[in-house]
Amino acid sequence: MALIRAAFCAALFTFGTALATWAQDVTLTSRDGSVEISGTLLGFDGEFYRVETIYGELTVDGSGVSCDGPGCPSLTDYVAEVDFSGSSTMAEVLMPALIEGFALRSGYMVRREERDDTHFDYVLLDGETGRTRGRLGFRVTTTDEGFADLLANEADLVMALREIRADERQRAAEAGMGDMTARNRSRVLALDAMVPIVAPGNPVRTISTPMLARVFSGQVTNWSMLGGPDAPISLYLPAEGSGLAQAAEDRLLAPVGFELTDGISRHDRSSALARAVVVDPFGLGLASYAETGSARTLTLTGSCRFSLEANRTTIKTEDYPLTSPMFLYTPARRLPKLAREFLAYARGPAAQIVIRRVGFVDQAPEEIPLNEQGDRFANAIAASGEEVGLEDLQAMIDRLRPLARLTTSFRFETGSTRLDAQSRSNVAQLARELEAGTYDARRLVFVGFSDGEGPAEGNQRIAARRAEAVRDAVVAAAETAALDRVQMEVEAFGEILPMACDDSAWGRQVNRRVEVWVR
């Protein structure tokens, strides 16, 4: 009886499994027969029923009730079912590799079953008995469609190559799915980047981010304006609705108020896009870093002569301005145990190895010694002026010389003090490392940097506040860590060590950061 009453209280929460295909009438009866709940079964995760009733959506512990009706699942032969929808890049490459790695590590046999051109399942079988333990269903589509499926209760997890947009976030909250940007609602599985690509024979080697935006908005239409031949530029992008294409609009064009031009050639797969650019001597595309094929990537540059090349390190640190995290979004409801185990595996060290092997950038922290950061310090010397002199540079180098930089960095949303999505994931990752004792008896220094807008003294104060905010966020997240075993400090150098030119919103965004240095 108490259990059923508790279930009514649990209706205030919106967890459960999104197995909408079950949608059949059931009656749940308490063991003493005194309380009955009738409604439509929305899901069962092996432990809890989720039922739509006249009281709203209720979640009921299966151990305290009996189930009657055509929709009642088998408690002894339960098969966990989880549905994924969204990004084709993630569905075709990343997720299959992670599922096979998870199955191998967990003692499951795995079988892939094709349903049609856009749907397939991974069936997980008990390694000893051969009995089916789980079915992971995939719909290969776009980030847009993935969020639409989640809102329609046709998916449990969304594979996304961009952050959830404000309108999607609002609709999810209104549908009782919680704040999709809250902790544990979104997680970064791996990192990718949007890279400008050309045919191998194209003479152009570099392009600035502002110029790239002007090209894709149709303001620059000839290669001669980029230092190339007198020929029209043909443009290539992923399909409309894909996360990568939308990230290009959100992060490349929106900050300067531009919109995509007409006449862009679209491709469902990044690999197909790269192949199309390779055979077009006058083509320019934005492709996934992991799927450039034999196309050549252009280095991003600026008027201050800084250059930023997409590679594992610059993407992992977010120093490359067009980094694209690969997200899994989950609503605020309970997932089957199998799904929870998979998500735990996906952020562990074994999964990071798998991510690297399939060509994406993992999130395992790496240490970069000072002597491997020559380009950054050369840029700092080139950018020095009246407000930042040689003495400031020397003081910074003396402070950092005994330390190594972690690839774990933190940046903030545009015009906000809130950490961006990748940085929020980095907070959780660094907190887990602290809880595991990885940095016991070591020194962590949170180092704040700023852009060059405004007085240098004020920028240093702002950078210090950001560094303190990041340190505090990590400490708050590391709930079980023995923090007395770790020496944590805060330092700030303001605008002394720029990563990019300050002449664009993208450059300033890259420069405003908090790095973590370790000894």
Side-chain angles (χ1 to χ4, degrees):
M1 182 72 177
L3 178 64
I4 299 300
R5 289 197 181 105
F8 284 102
C9 297
L12 299 174
F13 299 91
T14 54
F15 54 88
T17 54
L19 305 179
T21 54
W22 293 29
Q24 298 185 59
D25 290 340
V26 297
T27 298
L28 303 178
T29 307
S30 62
R31 297 301 184 192
D32 62 5
S34 62
V35 176
E36 286 188 350
I37 299 174
S38 296
T40 302
L41 182 66
L42 298 179
F44 177 68
D45 68 359
E47 299 172 289
F48 288 80
Y49 298 96
R50 185 164 61 92
V51 184
E52 184 65 44
T53 74
I54 59 173
Y55 307 105
E57 186 177 305
L58 302 181
T59 300
V60 181
D61 188 341
S63 65
V65 297
S66 59
C67 183
D68 234 359
C72 290
S74 168
L75 299 183
T76 56
D77 296 322
Y78 167 71
V79 176
E81 296 190 19
V82 186
D83 289 315
F84 297 77
S85 180
S87 161
S88 60
T89 299
M90 294 178 68
E92 292 183 333
V93 181
L94 179 63
M95 298 304 296
L98 288 173
I99 288 170
E100 290 174 7
F102 168 69
L104 181 64
R105 187 177 181 86
S106 304
Y108 293 119
M109 297 184 292
V110 62
R111 182 176 71 239
R112 177 168 171 147
E113 297 179 351
E114 304 291 338
R115 283 191 273 161
D116 55 42
D117 290 343
T118 59
H119 293 82
F120 63 87
D121 295 336
Y122 271 95
V123 180
L124 299 182
L125 309 161
D126 188 289
E128 295 182 357
T129 66
R131 190 165 74 82
T132 300
R133 294 295 188 183
R135 182 179 295 272
L136 309 181
F138 285 85
R139 183 185 177 213
V140 185
T141 177
T142 65
T143 297
D144 263 5
E145 287 296 315
F147 281 118
D149 285 348
L150 181 72
L151 292 171
N153 229 15
E154 295 176 0
D156 299 302
L157 297 103
V158 179
M159 302 171 290
L161 289 184
R162 61 164 173 81
E163 290 191 61
I164 189 170
R165 287 176 165 171
D167 59 329
E168 294 164 335
R169 179 182 177 186
Q170 181 178 347
R171 291 201 301 272
E174 291 171 351
M177 296 181 179
D179 181 357
M180 298 292 285
T181 65
R183 186 181 178 187
N184 293 330
R185 298 279 71 79
S186 69
R187 63 185 68 206
V188 177
L189 285 188
L191 304 173
D192 199 1
M194 296 175 284
V195 293
I197 59 171
V198 295
N202 192 307
V204 175
R205 301 285 172 174
T206 64
I207 189 170
S208 70
T209 313
M211 184 62 76
L212 191 62
R214 292 181 62 196
V215 169
F216 276 91
S217 64
Q219 300 175 45
V220 172
T221 59
N222 195 288
W223 280 106
S224 61
M225 302 177 71
L226 303 177
D230 182 10
I233 303 172
S234 47
L235 298 176
Y236 296 82
L237 275 179
E240 292 186 44
S242 70
L244 202 64
Q246 292 179 327
E249 294 181 72
D250 294 346
R251 301 186 63 183
L252 181 65
L253 300 177
V256 286
F258 295 167
E259 294 183 356
L260 287 173
T261 187
D262 297 327
I264 298 176
S265 177
R266 300 280 191 162
H267 294 267
D268 290 337
R269 306 288 184 266
S270 232
S271 55
L273 185 157
R275 288 193 296 270
V277 171
V278 165
V279 298
D280 183 350
F282 306 122
L284 173 62
L286 275 179
S288 159
Y289 166 77
E291 296 183 284
T292 57
S294 55
R296 183 165 51 78
T297 61
L298 298 182
T299 299
L300 295 183
T301 187
S303 59
C304 61
R305 300 188 304 278
F306 287 11
S307 61
L308 287 168
E309 184 178 349
N311 56 48
R312 284 190 68 253
T313 300
T314 59
I315 293 172
K316 185 176 284 195
T317 59
E318 254 190 308
D319 292 344
Y320 185 75
L322 299 179
T323 298
S324 296
M326 309 180 84
F327 298 95
L328 269 186
Y329 280 93
T330 63
R333 62 189 181 213
R334 187 182 177 88
L335 290 172
K337 182 180 178 182
L338 180 72
R340 301 196 301 272
E341 290 173 344
F342 170 74
L343 292 176
Y345 162 82
R347 65 187 183 191
Q352 305 311 307
I353 298 172
V354 172
I355 290 165
R356 287 198 296 272
R357 285 178 177 170
V358 294
F360 296 104
V361 178
D362 64 281
Q363 296 186 90
E366 300 174 28
E367 297 182 16
I368 313 171
L370 191 73
N371 60 9
E372 293 181 12
Q373 303 180 56
D375 288 346
R376 298 211 311 154
F377 289 97
N379 288 344
I381 293 170
S384 62
E386 293 182 2
E387 290 195 277
V388 177
L390 181 60
E391 291 183 0
D392 298 307
L393 291 169
Q394 289 173 332
M396 178 184 68
I397 291 172
D398 286 344
R399 180 76 170 93
L400 298 179
R401 192 188 302 277
L403 311 173
R405 182 193 179 188
L406 283 185
T407 50
T408 306
S409 301
F410 303 88
R411 285 181 170 81
F412 300 83
E413 294 178 349
T414 303
S416 171
T417 58
R418 187 173 190 245
L419 290 168
D420 66 19
Q422 182 176 335
S423 298
R424 295 194 297 272
S425 179
N426 286 346
V427 166
Q429 181 269 328
L430 184 54
R432 288 194 300 272
E433 295 287 333
L434 288 169
E435 290 174 333
T438 303
Y439 298 107
D440 283 1
R442 301 190 71 182
R443 179 156 57 108
L444 291 179
V445 184
F446 294 81
V447 185
F449 295 95
S450 71
D451 60 38
E453 294 279 289
E457 187 176 341
N459 286 336
Q460 184 155 351
R461 287 196 298 269
I462 293 171
R465 287 199 295 270
R466 287 177 177 149
E468 290 169 354
V470 170
R471 178 204 56 194
D472 293 346
V474 171
V475 168
E479 297 176 353
T480 63
L483 296 178
D484 57 330
R485 299 178 184 173
V486 185
Q487 183 180 346
M488 286 198 268
E489 303 171 8
V490 169
E491 184 62 89
F493 295 109
E495 61 192 67
I496 294 179
L497 189 59
M499 293 300 308
C501 304
D502 271 328
D503 61 352
S504 70
W506 305 280
R508 292 189 291 274
Q509 178 76 5
V510 168
N511 289 335
R512 295 190 293 266
R513 67 197 186 278
V514 175
E515 299 177 358
V516 182
W517 290 67
V518 62
R519 183 178 184 180

